[in-house]
Amino acid sequence: MEPITMNIPVLALRGLTAFPNETLSFDVERDISIYALDNAMENDRRLFLVTQKEISVADPTEEDLYRVGTICHILQIIKTSENSVRVIVEGEERARLHRMWQGKPFLQANVEVLEEEFPGKITPRVEAMLRRTYALFGAYKELAPQLSDDFIAAVLDCRDTGRLADLIAQNITLRHQDRQRVLEELRPNRRLQIVNDILTHEVDVLSLEMQMEQKVRQRVAQVQKDMILREQVKVLQHELGDDGDEEIAEYTEKIQRAKLPEEVHKRLTKEVERLAKQPFGSAEASVIRNYLDVCLEMPWNRFSRERADVDQARKLLDRDHYGLEKVKERILEFIAVRQLNPDAKGKILCLVGPPGVGKTSVAISVAKAMNRKLARLSLGGVRDEADIRGHRKTYIGAMPGRIIEAISRAGAMNPLLVLDEIDKLGSDMRGDPASALLEVLDGEQNTSFRDHFLEVPVDLSRVMFITTANTTSTIPRPLLDRMEVIELTSYTDEEKLQIARTHLLPKQMKEHGLKKSQLRISDDAIRAVITDYTRESGVRTLERLLGKLCRKAAMRLVETDVKRVDITPRDLQELLGVPHYQDNARSRQDQIGVVNGLAWTEVGGELLEVEAGVMEGSGKLELTGNLGKVMQESVQAAYTCLRSRAAELGIPRDFYKTKDIHVHFPEGAVPKDGPSAGIAIATAMLSALTGRPVRHDVAMTGEVTLRGRVLPIGGLKEKTMAAKRSGIRTVIIPKENEKDLEEIDQTVRAALRFVTAETVDAVFAHALALPKKEAAVEHLTAMAGLERQEVRCGDQL
């Protein structure tokens, strides 16, 4: 009988084998398999399923396939996703691959149908093989309980050796090589023998797996039992007060792992040994535990990777801060040095300036620019030295000082520590914290700083300190000498406008949920807020008022149908109320005995009026206005100066006997002190004694001596800014302060005329207005001088 051959689509299986008379379900994803299914469905729904030799082959050829497979009939195709389908087939008969004559778009081959041998009668030998098969299958079933009841019933009901072999091989977990051996055997009895051999091997393997699993379970159970018993023992030991061994081992391991400096390692090891000798629950043991915990929390060998990039730092500082050019330049110089010498010691910078000018935010920006960890300490009101150096660990509630705590909080030994309000440190019977800072802020001494709590040396030389203060006058000289002072002066009105427009307004709009298109505040409105509602060196009050405008705008947007709120100067009184400051508060007329002085405060410069009144009396000198001791002495010095020069100034020689003089500083509730109002006081008293008015557009500042010399003062930039705000045109300053004019903002220098004076005579000449008759004569004389100069120029021509 000639063999039956046919041309049929081929579908290569990976890890699966199809058997005759068995149903098989599998997923298809490859394109060649999809096309083979399509071709089979278009014809007689038959295709040749054959197993790949290697599962990993994606595009199989004839050499990659076994020779024997199964011709199957497609029962159902279900689409499971865009790229895959689920196929259910039923095997019909075995076949052998003769020749693969097509590889694309799908596999197609010429196959030969294989005829199986007739099993014959069930002889005793076959019966014994069947019973052996049932016994092995029963053993396998006990070891592999995931088998279905239908499959078990089908096996036990089957008496055909070839069919039984195919049924078992198809439905138990086997390697595809073993299944292929069963498929390629055409003799039914021999096929069942192969299945018996495979079942024997699988039962042995599963038995070993079961034994191993039981051993593992027993081991795990034993471990869990031991763990429970240990925990019970720990509880009993804790109740008995004897659980220190594990704690000691834990501390010892932490110390070894921390890689501490040698001296610190020795000290902590000694403390652990002391702890091991302490009875449970003793107070000394609690002290030692607390000490070890604090020491081990310190970042002894951890350093943040510093970024010393001048260009990057410049961009960040310019982005976060407007103006402050000298401050930025000094910080960039420091970063440039770090870029050239990364091992340089940390510096101590002191940012001094009025409140609200950005001292703390500059320090934070420096930390960002240098990629250093940041920790901030507020020293305002600190009076206890232990806040800096810590308490001895033997005291109840002892803790390390703020410096060590800040380093521990930063998590690195080279952080940037911001010491805020260093000018407001106090001192009392508990010690002087400013003196405790002398070692901390000294680059030559702080390499081995010893906190009272730790009692081991801590290297602070890699720490960068930035301190902030409103004034240097209250900082002790030895402490100030250790810091490099960088002054942050008051902002001009134009700088405040730019800061408000660039930083403050966008920040407030974001906090209040406003978009750029919903609120628009004109520059004139911001200028009006600055001049009429704020009188400050910084921008804190300005930011609060901008926040108030944002809240008003938010209310208007919510309550009405408007899409955008525009705020102009005309709207400010409705939104912010009556202006707090008026430019016309200063007199616009020359007055007798009233002088415009200039004062410096911690919040900037102020215009300070000085009033003097003269009355018939017995020579009393009355001082009012809440004056400090220095200012009272300044009034006495000005009074004596006038007495010693009475004849030159045209004052009656006996005025100190016949006249009572009252000197008053308005706003009497505000304390005032300092010597810089000396020339203003002398001018006011001279004006009152002679009856000559003082020019209303002149302001002055300077200390006066008994002989009439004018001494230099401080805070010139803030004072001149206050003069500009108040509409002053001429400012009289000491001659020795002429060098400080370079530090004054160009806008202020252009708006004011500066007169320098070495003696009070120059002050009187510029400040006192001439009587009308003398002023007219002086004017005619000046005009005549100009005419004579023009005639001389004509003669020369």
Side-chain angles (χ1 to χ4, degrees), residues 243-266:
D243 61 347
D245 292 342
E246 186 175 349
E247 182 183 38
I248 299 302
E250 184 179 350
Y251 276 126
T252 303
E253 182 184 358
K254 287 183 179 180
I255 293 172
Q256 296 295 334
R257 196 168 57 241
K259 297 181 181 179
L260 304 171
E262 183 178 358
E263 185 174 349
V264 179
H265 185 278
K266 289 181 179 179

PDB file of all heavy atoms in Angstrom, residues 243-266:
ATOM      1  N   ASP A 243      19.403  41.529  79.866  1.00  0.00           N
ATOM      2  CA  ASP A 243      19.315  41.466  78.400  1.00  0.00           C
ATOM      3  C   ASP A 243      20.367  42.358  77.755  1.00  0.00           C
ATOM      4  O   ASP A 243      20.159  42.938  76.708  1.00  0.00           O
ATOM      5  CB  ASP A 243      17.924  41.864  77.927  1.00  0.00           C
ATOM      6  CG  ASP A 243      17.578  43.280  78.336  1.00  0.00           C
ATOM      7  OD1 ASP A 243      18.307  43.833  79.181  1.00  0.00           O
ATOM      8  OD2 ASP A 243      16.593  43.834  77.811  1.00  0.00           O
ATOM      9  N   GLY A 244      21.524  42.497  78.372  1.00  0.00           N
ATOM     10  CA  GLY A 244      22.516  43.446  77.886  1.00  0.00           C
ATOM     11  C   GLY A 244      23.455  42.927  76.828  1.00  0.00           C
ATOM     12  O   GLY A 244      24.081  43.710  76.123  1.00  0.00           O
ATOM     13  N   ASP A 245      23.602  41.608  76.701  1.00  0.00           N
ATOM     14  CA  ASP A 245      24.608  41.086  75.773  1.00  0.00           C
ATOM     15  C   ASP A 245      24.335  41.508  74.341  1.00  0.00           C
ATOM     16  O   ASP A 245      25.237  41.947  73.620  1.00  0.00           O
ATOM     17  CB  ASP A 245      24.662  39.558  75.877  1.00  0.00           C
ATOM     18  CG  ASP A 245      25.205  39.093  77.218  1.00  0.00           C
ATOM     19  OD1 ASP A 245      25.843  39.930  77.896  1.00  0.00           O
ATOM     20  OD2 ASP A 245      24.979  37.930  77.587  1.00  0.00           O
ATOM     21  N   GLU A 246      23.090  41.382  73.906  1.00  0.00           N
ATOM     22  CA  GLU A 246      22.752  41.750  72.527  1.00  0.00           C
ATOM     23  C   GLU A 246      22.914  43.252  72.306  1.00  0.00           C
ATOM     24  O   GLU A 246      23.379  43.684  71.250  1.00  0.00           O
ATOM     25  CB  GLU A 246      21.320  41.318  72.225  1.00  0.00           C
ATOM     26  CG  GLU A 246      20.932  41.540  70.767  1.00  0.00           C
ATOM     27  CD  GLU A 246      19.559  40.994  70.461  1.00  0.00           C
ATOM     28  OE1 GLU A 246      18.997  40.265  71.320  1.00  0.00           O
ATOM     29  OE2 GLU A 246      19.046  41.296  69.374  1.00  0.00           O
ATOM     30  N   GLU A 247      22.536  44.054  73.280  1.00  0.00           N
ATOM     31  CA  GLU A 247      22.681  45.504  73.166  1.00  0.00           C
ATOM     32  C   GLU A 247      24.146  45.894  73.041  1.00  0.00           C
ATOM     33  O   GLU A 247      24.517  46.727  72.205  1.00  0.00           O
ATOM     34  CB  GLU A 247      22.045  46.175  74.380  1.00  0.00           C
ATOM     35  CG  GLU A 247      22.091  47.696  74.327  1.00  0.00           C
ATOM     36  CD  GLU A 247      21.527  48.321  75.581  1.00  0.00           C
ATOM     37  OE1 GLU A 247      21.757  47.762  76.685  1.00  0.00           O
ATOM     38  OE2 GLU A 247      20.851  49.354  75.460  1.00  0.00           O
ATOM     39  N   ILE A 248      25.012  45.264  73.841  1.00  0.00           N
ATOM     40  CA  ILE A 248      26.449  45.542  73.779  1.00  0.00           C
ATOM     41  C   ILE A 248      26.992  45.167  72.410  1.00  0.00           C
ATOM     42  O   ILE A 248      27.781  45.910  71.795  1.00  0.00           O
ATOM     43  CB  ILE A 248      27.192  44.780  74.896  1.00  0.00           C
ATOM     44  CG1 ILE A 248      26.695  45.231  76.285  1.00  0.00           C
ATOM     45  CG2 ILE A 248      28.687  44.992  74.768  1.00  0.00           C
ATOM     46  CD1 ILE A 248      26.857  46.700  76.554  1.00  0.00           C
ATOM     47  N   ALA A 249      26.563  44.024  71.896  1.00  0.00           N
ATOM     48  CA  ALA A 249      27.027  43.590  70.572  1.00  0.00           C
ATOM     49  C   ALA A 249      26.569  44.549  69.483  1.00  0.00           C
ATOM     50  O   ALA A 249      27.311  44.849  68.537  1.00  0.00           O
ATOM     51  CB  ALA A 249      26.514  42.180  70.294  1.00  0.00           C
ATOM     52  N   GLU A 250      25.354  45.046  69.638  1.00  0.00           N
ATOM     53  CA  GLU A 250      24.831  45.988  68.642  1.00  0.00           C
ATOM     54  C   GLU A 250      25.621  47.300  68.645  1.00  0.00           C
ATOM     55  O   GLU A 250      25.983  47.816  67.583  1.00  0.00           O
ATOM     56  CB  GLU A 250      23.354  46.260  68.934  1.00  0.00           C
ATOM     57  CG  GLU A 250      22.686  47.158  67.902  1.00  0.00           C
ATOM     58  CD  GLU A 250      21.222  47.388  68.211  1.00  0.00           C
ATOM     59  OE1 GLU A 250      20.687  46.693  69.121  1.00  0.00           O
ATOM     60  OE2 GLU A 250      20.610  48.250  67.565  1.00  0.00           O
ATOM     61  N   TYR A 251      25.908  47.821  69.831  1.00  0.00           N
ATOM     62  CA  TYR A 251      26.706  49.055  69.909  1.00  0.00           C
ATOM     63  C   TYR A 251      28.113  48.823  69.353  1.00  0.00           C
ATOM     64  O   TYR A 251      28.655  49.666  68.626  1.00  0.00           O
ATOM     65  CB  TYR A 251      26.789  49.543  71.364  1.00  0.00           C
ATOM     66  CG  TYR A 251      25.612  50.363  71.804  1.00  0.00           C
ATOM     67  CD1 TYR A 251      24.881  50.026  72.941  1.00  0.00           C
ATOM     68  CD2 TYR A 251      25.230  51.499  71.098  1.00  0.00           C
ATOM     69  CE1 TYR A 251      23.794  50.781  73.360  1.00  0.00           C
ATOM     70  CE2 TYR A 251      24.138  52.259  71.509  1.00  0.00           C
ATOM     71  CZ  TYR A 251      23.426  51.886  72.638  1.00  0.00           C
ATOM     72  OH  TYR A 251      22.358  52.647  73.032  1.00  0.00           O
ATOM     73  N   THR A 252      28.705  47.693  69.676  1.00  0.00           N
ATOM     74  CA  THR A 252      30.058  47.393  69.180  1.00  0.00           C
ATOM     75  C   THR A 252      30.073  47.328  67.659  1.00  0.00           C
ATOM     76  O   THR A 252      30.984  47.853  67.004  1.00  0.00           O
ATOM     77  CB  THR A 252      30.548  46.066  69.769  1.00  0.00           C
ATOM     78  OG1 THR A 252      30.508  46.141  71.203  1.00  0.00           O
ATOM     79  CG2 THR A 252      31.966  45.775  69.317  1.00  0.00           C
ATOM     80  N   GLU A 253      29.055  46.705  67.088  1.00  0.00           N
ATOM     81  CA  GLU A 253      28.974  46.610  65.626  1.00  0.00           C
ATOM     82  C   GLU A 253      28.816  47.986  64.992  1.00  0.00           C
ATOM     83  O   GLU A 253      29.438  48.297  63.981  1.00  0.00           O
ATOM     84  CB  GLU A 253      27.801  45.712  65.248  1.00  0.00           C
ATOM     85  CG  GLU A 253      27.661  45.521  63.738  1.00  0.00           C
ATOM     86  CD  GLU A 253      26.439  44.696  63.380  1.00  0.00           C
ATOM     87  OE1 GLU A 253      25.732  44.237  64.317  1.00  0.00           O
ATOM     88  OE2 GLU A 253      26.186  44.520  62.184  1.00  0.00           O
ATOM     89  N   LYS A 254      27.982  48.841  65.588  1.00  0.00           N
ATOM     90  CA  LYS A 254      27.800  50.200  65.056  1.00  0.00           C
ATOM     91  C   LYS A 254      29.107  50.982  65.089  1.00  0.00           C
ATOM     92  O   LYS A 254      29.421  51.718  64.150  1.00  0.00           O
ATOM     93  CB  LYS A 254      26.724  50.932  65.852  1.00  0.00           C
ATOM     94  CG  LYS A 254      25.306  50.465  65.575  1.00  0.00           C
ATOM     95  CD  LYS A 254      24.305  51.297  66.365  1.00  0.00           C
ATOM     96  CE  LYS A 254      22.882  50.871  66.080  1.00  0.00           C
ATOM     97  NZ  LYS A 254      21.899  51.682  66.861  1.00  0.00           N
ATOM     98  N   ILE A 255      29.848  50.849  66.180  1.00  0.00           N
ATOM     99  CA  ILE A 255      31.111  51.581  66.298  1.00  0.00           C
ATOM    100  C   ILE A 255      32.104  51.107  65.242  1.00  0.00           C
ATOM    101  O   ILE A 255      32.800  51.912  64.611  1.00  0.00           O
ATOM    102  CB  ILE A 255      31.683  51.405  67.723  1.00  0.00           C
ATOM    103  CG1 ILE A 255      30.786  52.108  68.750  1.00  0.00           C
ATOM    104  CG2 ILE A 255      33.107  51.945  67.800  1.00  0.00           C
ATOM    105  CD1 ILE A 255      31.157  51.825  70.182  1.00  0.00           C
ATOM    106  N   GLN A 256      32.169  49.797  65.011  1.00  0.00           N
ATOM    107  CA  GLN A 256      33.092  49.276  64.000  1.00  0.00           C
ATOM    108  C   GLN A 256      32.675  49.723  62.600  1.00  0.00           C
ATOM    109  O   GLN A 256      33.511  50.028  61.747  1.00  0.00           O
ATOM    110  CB  GLN A 256      33.117  47.736  64.070  1.00  0.00           C
ATOM    111  CG  GLN A 256      33.663  47.178  65.374  1.00  0.00           C
ATOM    112  CD  GLN A 256      35.136  47.533  65.572  1.00  0.00           C
ATOM    113  OE1 GLN A 256      35.869  47.758  64.623  1.00  0.00           O
ATOM    114  NE2 GLN A 256      35.559  47.597  66.840  1.00  0.00           N
ATOM    115  N   ARG A 257      31.387  49.770  62.360  1.00  0.00           N
ATOM    116  CA  ARG A 257      30.886  50.124  61.033  1.00  0.00           C
ATOM    117  C   ARG A 257      30.999  51.614  60.739  1.00  0.00           C
ATOM    118  O   ARG A 257      31.060  52.025  59.577  1.00  0.00           O
ATOM    119  CB  ARG A 257      29.432  49.670  60.909  1.00  0.00           C
ATOM    120  CG  ARG A 257      28.914  49.615  59.496  1.00  0.00           C
ATOM    121  CD  ARG A 257      27.578  48.897  59.405  1.00  0.00           C
ATOM    122  NE  ARG A 257      26.564  49.499  60.247  1.00  0.00           N
ATOM    123  CZ  ARG A 257      25.938  48.879  61.237  1.00  0.00           C
ATOM    124  NH1 ARG A 257      26.240  47.616  61.514  1.00  0.00           N
ATOM    125  NH2 ARG A 257      25.030  49.478  61.973  1.00  0.00           N
ATOM    126  N   ALA A 258      31.040  52.435  61.790  1.00  0.00           N
ATOM    127  CA  ALA A 258      31.032  53.886  61.588  1.00  0.00           C
ATOM    128  C   ALA A 258      32.364  54.449  61.120  1.00  0.00           C
ATOM    129  O   ALA A 258      32.419  55.583  60.644  1.00  0.00           O
ATOM    130  CB  ALA A 258      30.605  54.587  62.878  1.00  0.00           C
ATOM    131  N   LYS A 259      33.486  53.713  61.267  1.00  0.00           N
ATOM    132  CA  LYS A 259      34.822  54.175  60.872  1.00  0.00           C
ATOM    133  C   LYS A 259      35.121  55.541  61.491  1.00  0.00           C
ATOM    134  O   LYS A 259      35.364  56.542  60.812  1.00  0.00           O
ATOM    135  CB  LYS A 259      34.931  54.254  59.347  1.00  0.00           C
ATOM    136  CG  LYS A 259      34.778  52.905  58.666  1.00  0.00           C
ATOM    137  CD  LYS A 259      34.904  53.019  57.147  1.00  0.00           C
ATOM    138  CE  LYS A 259      34.731  51.659  56.495  1.00  0.00           C
ATOM    139  NZ  LYS A 259      34.827  51.749  55.020  1.00  0.00           N
ATOM    140  N   LEU A 260      35.094  55.584  62.809  1.00  0.00           N
ATOM    141  CA  LEU A 260      35.247  56.825  63.552  1.00  0.00           C
ATOM    142  C   LEU A 260      36.717  57.221  63.646  1.00  0.00           C
ATOM    143  O   LEU A 260      37.611  56.395  63.471  1.00  0.00           O
ATOM    144  CB  LEU A 260      34.680  56.648  64.960  1.00  0.00           C
ATOM    145  CG  LEU A 260      33.221  56.187  65.057  1.00  0.00           C
ATOM    146  CD1 LEU A 260      32.876  55.860  66.480  1.00  0.00           C
ATOM    147  CD2 LEU A 260      32.296  57.252  64.506  1.00  0.00           C
ATOM    148  N   PRO A 261      36.987  58.524  63.920  1.00  0.00           N
ATOM    149  CA  PRO A 261      38.363  58.919  64.239  1.00  0.00           C
ATOM    150  C   PRO A 261      38.882  58.129  65.436  1.00  0.00           C
ATOM    151  O   PRO A 261      38.113  57.677  66.286  1.00  0.00           O
ATOM    152  CB  PRO A 261      38.228  60.421  64.561  1.00  0.00           C
ATOM    153  CG  PRO A 261      36.985  60.853  63.852  1.00  0.00           C
ATOM    154  CD  PRO A 261      36.072  59.675  63.862  1.00  0.00           C
ATOM    155  N   GLU A 262      40.196  57.996  65.507  1.00  0.00           N
ATOM    156  CA  GLU A 262      40.802  57.111  66.498  1.00  0.00           C
ATOM    157  C   GLU A 262      40.409  57.476  67.924  1.00  0.00           C
ATOM    158  O   GLU A 262      40.021  56.613  68.723  1.00  0.00           O
ATOM    159  CB  GLU A 262      42.330  57.140  66.352  1.00  0.00           C
ATOM    160  CG  GLU A 262      43.034  56.187  67.306  1.00  0.00           C
ATOM    161  CD  GLU A 262      44.544  56.210  67.111  1.00  0.00           C
ATOM    162  OE1 GLU A 262      45.017  56.945  66.208  1.00  0.00           O
ATOM    163  OE2 GLU A 262      45.243  55.507  67.851  1.00  0.00           O
ATOM    164  N   GLU A 263      40.486  58.762  68.267  1.00  0.00           N
ATOM    165  CA  GLU A 263      40.164  59.173  69.634  1.00  0.00           C
ATOM    166  C   GLU A 263      38.701  58.925  69.954  1.00  0.00           C
ATOM    167  O   GLU A 263      38.347  58.479  71.051  1.00  0.00           O
ATOM    168  CB  GLU A 263      40.502  60.656  69.824  1.00  0.00           C
ATOM    169  CG  GLU A 263      40.314  61.133  71.248  1.00  0.00           C
ATOM    170  CD  GLU A 263      40.796  62.559  71.461  1.00  0.00           C
ATOM    171  OE1 GLU A 263      41.468  63.095  70.540  1.00  0.00           O
ATOM    172  OE2 GLU A 263      40.509  63.127  72.524  1.00  0.00           O
ATOM    173  N   VAL A 264      37.824  59.200  68.973  1.00  0.00           N
ATOM    174  CA  VAL A 264      36.392  58.969  69.182  1.00  0.00           C
ATOM    175  C   VAL A 264      36.125  57.477  69.325  1.00  0.00           C
ATOM    176  O   VAL A 264      35.330  57.043  70.178  1.00  0.00           O
ATOM    177  CB  VAL A 264      35.579  59.565  68.012  1.00  0.00           C
ATOM    178  CG1 VAL A 264      34.083  59.309  68.205  1.00  0.00           C
ATOM    179  CG2 VAL A 264      35.850  61.052  67.878  1.00  0.00           C
ATOM    180  N   HIS A 265      36.793  56.666  68.505  1.00  0.00           N
ATOM    181  CA  HIS A 265      36.611  55.210  68.565  1.00  0.00           C
ATOM    182  C   HIS A 265      37.001  54.671  69.947  1.00  0.00           C
ATOM    183  O   HIS A 265      36.280  53.854  70.547  1.00  0.00           O
ATOM    184  CB  HIS A 265      37.438  54.550  67.463  1.00  0.00           C
ATOM    185  CG  HIS A 265      37.233  53.071  67.351  1.00  0.00           C
ATOM    186  ND1 HIS A 265      37.878  52.161  68.161  1.00  0.00           N
ATOM    187  CD2 HIS A 265      36.438  52.337  66.529  1.00  0.00           C
ATOM    188  CE1 HIS A 265      37.499  50.935  67.841  1.00  0.00           C
ATOM    189  NE2 HIS A 265      36.627  51.021  66.856  1.00  0.00           N
ATOM    190  N   LYS A 266      38.126  55.121  70.458  1.00  0.00           N
ATOM    191  CA  LYS A 266      38.569  54.662  71.773  1.00  0.00           C
ATOM    192  C   LYS A 266      37.584  55.074  72.859  1.00  0.00           C
ATOM    193  O   LYS A 266      37.259  54.284  73.759  1.00  0.00           O
ATOM    194  CB  LYS A 266      39.953  55.233  72.078  1.00  0.00           C
ATOM    195  CG  LYS A 266      41.079  54.620  71.251  1.00  0.00           C
ATOM    196  CD  LYS A 266      42.419  55.224  71.646  1.00  0.00           C
ATOM    197  CE  LYS A 266      43.570  54.613  70.841  1.00  0.00           C
ATOM    198  NZ  LYS A 266      44.871  55.220  71.205  1.00  0.00           N
TER     199      LYS A 266
END
